[in-house]
Amino acid sequence: MPTATARKPTNSRTATKSRKPQAAIRNPKSRKHVYFFGNGKADGNRHMKDLLGGKGSGLAEMTNAGLPVPPGFTISTEVCNIYYEQKGKIPAAIDREIAEHVKKLEKAAAATLGSTDNPLLVSVRSGAKFSMPGMMDTILNLGLNDDAVEGLKRRTRNGRLAFDSYRRFIQMFGNVVLEVPKEAFEHELDAVKKARGAKLDTNLDEQALRDVVARYKKVVKTKAGREFPQNPREQLTMARDAVFRSWMNPRAQEYRRIYDIPDHIGTAVNVQMMVFGNTGDRSATGVGFTRNPATGKKEFYGEFLINAQGEDVVAGIRTPQPIHELEQVMPKAYKQLREITTRLERHYKDVQDFEFTIQDERLFMLQTRSGKRTGYAAVVIATDFVAEKLVTPRDAVLLVDPESLNQLLAPGFDQDEWKKIPTATRGLPASPGAASGQVVFTADHAVEWTRQGKQVILVRRETVPDDIHGMFVAQGILTATGGMTSHAAVVGRQMGKPSVVGAGALEINEAVRQFRVGGKTVKEGDFLSFDGLTGEVKIARVASKPSEILQVVNGTLARDKSDIYRRFETILTWSDKFRRLGIRANADLPDQAELAYAFGARGIGLCRTEHMFFGEGRIPIVQRMILADNEKDRRKALEELLPLQRDDFYGVFKGMHGCPVTIRTIDPPLHEFLPKREDLMIDVARLEATGHAGKELEEKRRLLARVEQLHEFNPMLGHRGVRLGITYPEITEMQTRAIIEAACRLNKEGLKVVPEIMIPLVGHVKELRDQKTIVDRVAGEVMKEQGTKITYLVGTMIEVPRGAMTADQIAAEAEFFSFGTNDLTQLTYGFSRDDVGKFLRIYQDKKILEKDPFASIDVEGVGKIVRSGVELGRQTRPDLKLGICGEHGGDPASIHFFEQVGLDYVSASPYRVPVARLAAAQAALAVKVGD
Ligand code: ADP
Ligand code: MG
Ligand code: MG
């Protein structure tokens, strides 16, 4: 059986083609490349994310709103594209524009770059349209040199601050721009700390920090082979270019691949006046969310560190304090922060994720953006927002990423079993969900072991952006350091991956691949489980249990007992109001039909009859049918199958409560129902060798002979689909009879059903005509026998390119089309669905393909064929019913395309029905996914 290609849980975005960075989005008339913000006015605003990136547009918007934002300017994403286009050079005109903006910034900041008595210090920050946490680089305190540092000391009368800032600058610049490994600097810092008996960075005084600076400069000299650059303008140019380069670093590329972010959009560079959270105990830096991003609960949420700068909070160097404690330490700044962030949430009508710094009790906002959240939180927040009258249901529907609904269906632990196992330790509950698997310590091992079919938990001291590939495949992520906003936490939530962070009791020894906790040693390969909602970690393998939503759907939990179910249902009910596309499910068996119906599918778009042939005790009958070398024997076997199929159809119709059901006649090549040729050969050889003549040997030989006869070099292009029905019309007869008899029976019982009989793999209208004649004849006979009349439709799957190209002819016979986009993709590209895995990854690495065309429809190629099939079909038959039943029916980006093409419905696998309902609503509201 051709297997569906595994899909990755992505944030699907609009299908954008893979392109190298280029200036495709550049408007030749716009000569402006640099945008200022400061003194209550900005050149940009929130609608300019394409040009200014998320960070730049947020800084502009906050400035315009009169919030306390340090002044600065944004170099647009177009410049990034120019940088790549011109092979790393920036045109002189843009350099001049930047220089003018530096002057403007010096004026606004009342300080001068490189000045020895009042130096301007800036941060140089990356920022693309879509936030990519930690993937690119940022440099703080730029503008310092051996003279300016003394100037800073004079101005602030704080030598510790000056040298703390300088050593940070050398480290960041050295690492990001001059590519000196971080460890080389950390090694020196540790040495100074040790020599002075200092536990924390904050224990180092000015003198000690002067020592650190001297050592850092030596590190640069030996590792980078040059002096640390002293000219601030040179520093700025080098930093800007390094940020542009970081756009194409491997981890950023990997991140974009996972999240379907195109390469060509580029990053902006923000140059902003520094404010200092490291002046002493009256200063701090922090990050936060306006609501809890893991649970969605309405609570002010975040962390801060006193006397710290920039990344300290997320880097896990010191353990940050929860944000509510700020109220005691700096009540005024706290109150202002709450007011500002509440205002921002109302302004943007979305949860905000913000960064701030307090310099001598004065608050500065450094960033605001939509907060990444779990699927669970997204549903809670969207429904709360409507209850709070902050947004309408229409906006609420746009606040939830369809793909993230899958997280709500993910399993949890069986609580009875979970409680029996002792808790080994507890960490911070960063991303909910139950994770169980074998321990690995590196991202590479996670990938390797997963390939071998194992389920793994990635255990790290802390994750770094380079771990992204391992985090993607792991069942869960567990770290020893880091807070709720650390890398592991942020990325875990975004991926919907269970994560527990900051489990400080873990003593991890990555070198020998083991950790110790509570006197126990856990080695690589040992089983471990944790609960991302409570933070509990246990050394055991624990079975998981269906999510609350599934429990309600299965009827094992009352709807009223589940708050999240009711919210989930609410979002989907709203979605139903806004969508135009009908939602059906691909379901072969009655229980699947029931599940799909419970998830809101109103019809079956694809019921594969052959799946019924694999039912218990049926294979021998099916084999007899196939082995028959004459029509009489074949009919005898088919007669045995008839009542079984009839009952199946009866069950599926019933499971769909009278909604339309499309049943496809048999599709796969017959040899799939027979034993493997090689196995039979071995059996025959064995029986011959052991002298077992007689009935068994004879049977096996006969079977082998028939298998040889049916053997095909290329079964996907062989004797299958409509070709089977044409060569063995009695199969189509039996299947039609089973369908119509089941429908008649339900009709008599009072449930009206309209079966849609679908003939697969049609490329020529005469193929369909041949089969339709049979269907109509048998249907007529059955209805006469039964003394009832029912309505049924006959249609076809459009999955062979010729079928799509001659859709006008085919529509003369077909009452409906269902686009079989799996086969259509296979036949259009000539990629075998079952073998594409061997080279797809390389295609993606080489940027030949950005997405797997079997997971998300290739709009330009396969999509064009679908579009033409739709147009031709409707020319002949304006009321032609049009649907899609490939894997793409559950993919949000593809659903956007199907909405545009004007299909009547999409059909997805039962578990993806909620995703499809929401995506269809968003598509109808014509909002680009991911914007
Ligand atoms: P990222 O995109 O990885 O969050 P940012 O550009 O936001 O990187 O910067 C990293 C850190 O540096 C943040 O914590 C931010 O608050 C801090 N930072 C950036 N610019 C300034 C500035 N002008 N003054 C003080 N801190 C800053
Ligand atoms: Mg930031
Ligand atoms: Mg097919």
Side-chain angles (χ1 to χ4, degrees), residues 55 125 355 367 369:
K55 201 177 284 170
R125 318 170 65 187
E355 294 176 2
Q367 193 171 324
R369 63 181 171 207

Side-chain angles (χ1 to χ4, degrees), residues 713-726:
F713 288 103
N714 196 340
M716 288 310 294
L717 300 176
H719 193 182
R720 56 174 286 228
V722 66
R723 301 152 205 172
L724 281 174
I726 288 172

